[in-house]
Amino acid sequence: MQDFIKIRGARQHNLKSISLDIPKNKFVVMTGISGSGKSSLAFDTIYAEGQRRYVESLSAYARQFLGVMDKPDVDSIDGLSPSISIDQKSTTHNPRSTVGTITEVYDYFRLLFARVGHPHCPKCGMEIRKLSIDEIVERVLEQILNQVQHDKIKPHEFKILSPIVREKKGEFNDLFENLRAKGYVLVLVDEKEKSLNDEIDLIKTNKHSISAVITQISVMYKDLKDQVYRSNLTGQLRTSIEQSLQLSDGLVMLDTHLFSEKFSCPNDNLSLPEIEPRMFSFNSPIGACEQCKGIGSIYAVDPELVLNKNLSINEGAILPFNKFFFHETWYIRLLKQVAEEEGIDLDIQISKLTNKQIDIILRGTNKVYRVE
């Protein structure tokens, strides 16, 4: 790999047969008076030739969707790699805007991460990879064998499930009707088994998880020693697993153990979707930081601005409610009930309360209180 971009005889626009070597892996700045040819050299010569070579390396089918740039007026350019051009833009006051978004480099990074990234489990850190049907069948058999070995006398019941809906809102009447038409009898709705022959009413605004019961298997340890039985069991599992993968877009469950034809962690029972550029976008709920929601700033309550420690609560120490305590509203009665049950004296200065009592005032207790 050459260490320089070697330009010979550049005559694009107002360039006068310029020849120079530009070092790679360096931050290079071109300066000069207006009209001296900075843009002609950087954009119309170097970038244009790099982009032209990149487009020409693509298939004829791909080239029809991309504009092929004309060859710049230059004798030769050696050591040139595919290049990108960043336009100068004015700044913005949008809190989501960064140097990456203004220069549009951010879009290239998202695409790069999506194509070369290897997903890892967020819990154990193990690299997550796709499983073939054979690997899923093998792991399901391994799970069955491990569980059966713990009690070698009694029969063990297993369910092959197809997780169709995972934490989504809706009533899903059409889904139940479709499953019923396909011959399915049982579903698991929010971990409760229900018959499709019965009416299933779900709250539309709540999130639900729905799995179709593909098959139920009863296995005893002594049966697994029979090679014929084990071969038949493997064939039955393969058929059920293929059916589940097709129904739930690449997912199958053995009771609570999740397996994925796409990405799944066998240790923590997690499944991840295919890596896409939107996973690295702060504008998408999938890629946004869970703490700041993609804004980049976290707003928190400053106790010093909420509480006046020189006053008691009855004197208005909780500044947002300092006037409320002069009225007997339901919310004030609730605060007084909490204070009574938690042993908080409303008539002493806030500064004399314990840290635990102040924390209760600011953040609550997650308990249920009865207000008379």
Side-chain angles (χ1 to χ4, degrees), residues 162-175:
S162 180
I164 306 171
V165 176
R166 306 182 72 191
E167 292 296 317
K168 290 184 180 179
K169 295 180 180 179
E171 296 177 325
F172 304 104
N173 293 325
D174 293 339
L175 172 62

Side-chain angles (χ1 to χ4, degrees), residues 20-265:
L20 73 158
D21 294 344
I22 300 177
K24 290 185 176 181
N25 302 317
K26 301 288 184 181
F27 188 80
V28 179
V29 180
M30 298 180 184
T31 62
I33 61 174
S34 177
S36 60
K38 303 184 296 297
S39 297
S40 296
L41 179 62
F43 297 108
D44 301 327
T45 302
I46 301 174
Y47 168 68
E49 179 64 10
Q51 190 73 359
R52 186 187 68 82
R53 293 182 185 181
Y54 168 69
V55 173
E56 286 188 348
S57 69
L58 302 175
S59 64
Y61 176 77
R63 285 202 300 270
Q64 67 178 326
F65 300 104
L66 301 171
V68 180
M69 305 184 73
D70 295 332
K71 181 175 174 60
D73 189 5
V74 60
D75 290 341
S76 66
I77 302 181
D78 296 326
L80 187 59
S81 305
S83 56
I84 62 173
S85 172
I86 300 170
D87 295 331
Q88 180 179 355
K89 292 184 178 180
S90 59
T91 58
T92 175
H93 297 290
N94 189 329
R96 295 176 182 265
S97 180
T98 64
V99 175
T101 57
I102 293 175
T103 60
E104 297 180 355
V105 170
Y106 170 67
D107 298 320
Y108 292 101
F109 276 122
R110 288 197 297 132
L111 183 61
L112 176 66
F113 295 156
R115 294 297 173 262
V116 304
H118 295 271
H120 289 70
C121 176
K123 289 188 176 180
C124 68
M126 177 182 178
E127 183 175 342
I128 297 177
R129 62 185 184 87
K130 295 181 180 180
L131 296 176
S132 65
I133 294 180
D134 291 334
E135 289 175 318
I136 295 176
V137 172
E138 183 180 338
R139 294 193 180 192
V140 168
L141 275 172
E142 184 180 339
Q143 289 287 343
I144 291 175
L145 184 59
N146 289 339
Q147 188 166 334
V148 170
Q149 283 180 333
H150 284 95
D151 191 336
K152 299 180 180 181
I153 300 176
K154 71 173 186 179
H156 295 263
E157 302 291 334
F158 298 95
K159 289 187 179 72
I160 301 296
L161 306 171
S162 180
I164 306 171
V165 176
R166 306 182 72 191
E167 292 296 317
K168 290 184 180 179
K169 295 180 180 179
E171 296 177 325
F172 304 104
N173 293 325
D174 293 339
L175 172 62
F176 295 137
E177 186 62 35
N178 187 30
L179 291 174
R180 194 179 297 115
K182 290 181 177 179
Y184 294 99
V185 179
L186 298 174
V187 289
L188 230 61
V189 180
D190 299 331
E191 300 183 359
K192 294 181 180 178
E193 189 175 286
K194 296 182 181 294
S195 173
L196 287 171
N197 295 323
D198 301 331
E199 194 70 26
I200 302 176
D201 296 323
L202 300 180
I203 301 175
K204 186 177 182 179
T205 55
N206 289 357
K207 291 183 178 181
H208 303 285
S209 296
I210 302 172
S211 299
V213 179
I214 304 298
T215 187
Q216 300 184 76
I217 303 171
S218 178
V219 180
M220 293 188 68
Y221 180 76
K222 65 178 183 178
D223 294 331
L224 292 175
K225 294 181 178 180
D226 186 347
Q227 291 299 323
V228 176
Y229 175 86
R230 190 159 180 165
S231 177
N232 292 336
L233 177 61
T234 303
Q236 183 182 357
L237 288 175
R238 172 178 284 276
T239 302
S240 300
I241 288 170
E242 288 177 348
Q243 190 176 347
S244 174
L245 295 175
Q246 185 176 5
L247 190 62
S248 60
D249 192 25
L251 297 175
V252 62
M253 292 180 68
L254 175 70
D255 295 332
T256 59
H257 295 278
L258 178 68
F259 303 93
S260 174
E261 195 178 23
K262 296 178 180 179
F263 293 103
S264 68
C265 175

